[in-house]
Amino acid sequence: MEAIHFNTVHDYNRFNQHNTQHPLVSVIDFSKAEKRTGSKMYFGLYCVFLKDVKCGDLTYGKQTYDYQEGTLVFVSPGQVVDVANKTDMYQPMGHGLAFHPDLIHGTSLGKVLNNYGFFNYQSHEALHISERERQIVLDCFSKIEFELQQSVDKHSKKLITTNIELFLDYCERFYDRQFITREHINSDILTQFETCLQDYFTTGKAETIGFPMVHYFADQLHLSPNYFGDLIKKETGVSAQDYIQNKVIQVAKERVFDQSKSISEIAYELGFKYPQHFSRLFKQRVGYSPNEFRNLN
């Protein structure tokens, strides 16, 4: 089944039986849409969904997510969202925000939008919000909707994009809260990451696959690189890449003591394509070159 393409805000409004008040942004009340079955959708827009009805399992990348009530899902241009159940009819409910990338060109939001990593999370990493948080979301949507109902003037674009930025800042705060309240889940992921990392060196994967990269471990743990990176940073205080490099140096310190192997051989075993890159990283982190460290000890 081919995906339905939403390349403009008008395309998405029409799909949801919604009037287009502004060509680049829309706040959608999904209850106005007719009953429908699930479909595969391609987005050329930024979209945020706050659904109030279970409408089937969303598939997004390799994962399936049971889309429960009270969740926010973020979609960015170029992403495809599918629904597992394409046969049962349902009545859409809830609210959404859709805006075209052209809306934010030359605005303060345009400069910082890439900082909101949750637009690249997978659907099973959706934001679960409390009733109070839900009211804040709806209040933000209401402010944007208010601006869309006014006659366009020199303030319109700034007020609309500023309110979208305010909404996204709240979402960032809510995600921080979710990371904290799910500490037991996060700590399990951290344990799995440490096990995968250890396995990467003991089974020779570093030598065959190359230097360990963030996206490899995110994939192994069925997480998007953005969500995985944010989780590791929240849990450990360092980026996932720094965490990996620290582990590489920890393993390297042990292996440098093996006098039967040259520094170059150790570098290749650790996934480095060029030994000089290994030596440079080792000296940056340890303060000595691998040879100096070997002789020192």
Side-chain angles (χ1 to χ4, degrees):
M1 183 179 180
E2 284 192 19
I4 302 171
H5 283 244
F6 302 119
N7 291 311
T8 67
V9 167
H10 181 66
D11 290 341
Y12 197 58
N13 282 338
R14 186 172 52 200
F15 178 72
N16 291 291
Q17 286 81 46
H18 214 279
N19 292 330
T20 299
Q21 297 171 298
H22 190 294
L24 298 178
V25 58
S26 182
V27 174
I28 297 152
D29 179 352
F30 289 113
S31 67
K32 293 180 180 178
E34 295 172 358
K35 284 188 176 182
R36 62 190 182 214
T37 58
S39 51
K40 188 176 182 179
M41 298 166 285
Y42 167 87
F43 288 86
L45 314 166
Y46 290 98
C47 283
V48 185
F49 313 118
L50 173 60
K51 290 287 184 75
D52 289 337
V53 64
K54 180 171 166 54
C55 57
D57 293 340
L58 280 182
T59 57
Y60 196 83
K62 297 178 182 178
Q63 295 298 305
T64 298
Y65 172 69
D66 184 8
Y67 198 175
Q68 303 161 8
E69 296 176 28
T71 55
L72 279 170
V73 169
F74 302 81
V75 177
S76 58
Q79 292 180 333
V80 176
V81 177
D82 202 356
V83 177
N85 182 354
K86 294 191 177 69
T87 55
D88 295 345
M89 296 287 289
Y90 71 94
Q91 173 60 54
M93 295 293 288
H95 299 80
L97 169 67
F99 60 96
H100 195 277
D102 287 353
L103 175 74
I104 61 174
H105 290 326
T107 68
S108 63
L109 177 58
K111 294 172 186 172
V112 299
L113 192 68
N114 287 338
N115 296 341
Y116 300 105
F118 43 74
F119 271 108
N120 292 308
Y121 289 176
Q122 293 178 7
S123 60
H124 69 294
E125 300 153 355
L127 176 57
H128 301 266
I129 56 176
S130 67
E131 182 54 37
R132 188 178 178 194
E133 291 168 346
R134 183 177 179 277
Q135 289 307 314
I136 292 171
V137 168
L138 293 177
D139 185 50
C140 288
F141 283 1
S142 177
K143 285 184 170 68
I144 298 165
E145 177 69 17
F146 174 81
E147 279 307 315
L148 295 178
Q149 292 170 352
Q150 308 307 305
S151 299
V152 176
D153 59 26
K154 65 180 183 179
H155 304 289
S156 300
K157 184 174 182 177
K158 183 178 179 182
L159 286 168
I160 290 168
T161 56
T162 299
N163 276 298
I164 292 174
E165 189 171 351
L166 175 65
F167 162 64
L168 296 177
D169 283 342
Y170 272 118
C171 291
E172 199 156 42
R173 170 187 276 179
F174 299 158
Y175 257 117
D176 282 349
R177 185 266 311 150
Q178 181 163 293
F179 278 121
I180 292 166
T181 55
R182 293 184 157 197
E183 271 189 67
H184 63 290
I185 297 172
N186 297 346
S187 117
D188 285 348
I189 290 170
L190 188 59
T191 302
Q192 291 174 52
F193 174 37
E194 182 62 41
T195 302
C196 279
L197 201 46
Q198 191 67 40
D199 174 74
Y200 199 82
F201 295 108
T202 55
T203 60
K205 286 178 184 169
E207 206 165 356
T208 54
I209 300 174
F211 190 84
M213 303 297 285
V214 173
H215 64 79
Y216 170 85
F217 295 103
D219 192 55
Q220 293 296 302
L221 298 169
H222 308 299
L223 298 170
S224 65
N226 281 52
Y227 187 87
F228 175 67
D230 288 348
L231 186 152
I232 296 303
K233 184 73 183 282
K234 294 277 190 313
E235 284 295 300
T236 67
V238 298
S239 70
Q241 190 58 48
D242 275 342
Y243 192 95
I244 290 169
Q245 289 185 0
N246 289 341
K247 183 67 176 180
V248 170
I249 295 304
Q250 185 184 330
V251 175
K253 281 180 174 178
E254 290 296 325
R255 296 198 182 180
V256 161
F257 291 134
D258 185 351
Q259 299 279 354
S260 68
K261 291 180 180 175
S262 68
I263 298 302
S264 292
E265 285 175 307
I266 293 167
Y268 294 131
E269 282 181 0
L270 295 172
F272 288 88
K273 200 171 179 182
Y274 304 105
Q276 59 267 37
H277 291 173
F278 166 58
S279 296
R280 189 181 308 131
L281 179 65
F282 194 94
K283 184 153 191 178
Q284 282 174 353
R285 295 299 178 107
V286 182
Y288 299 97
S289 71
N291 267 320
E292 287 169 343
F293 188 77
R294 175 181 272 178
N295 295 331
L296 195 68
N297 291 274

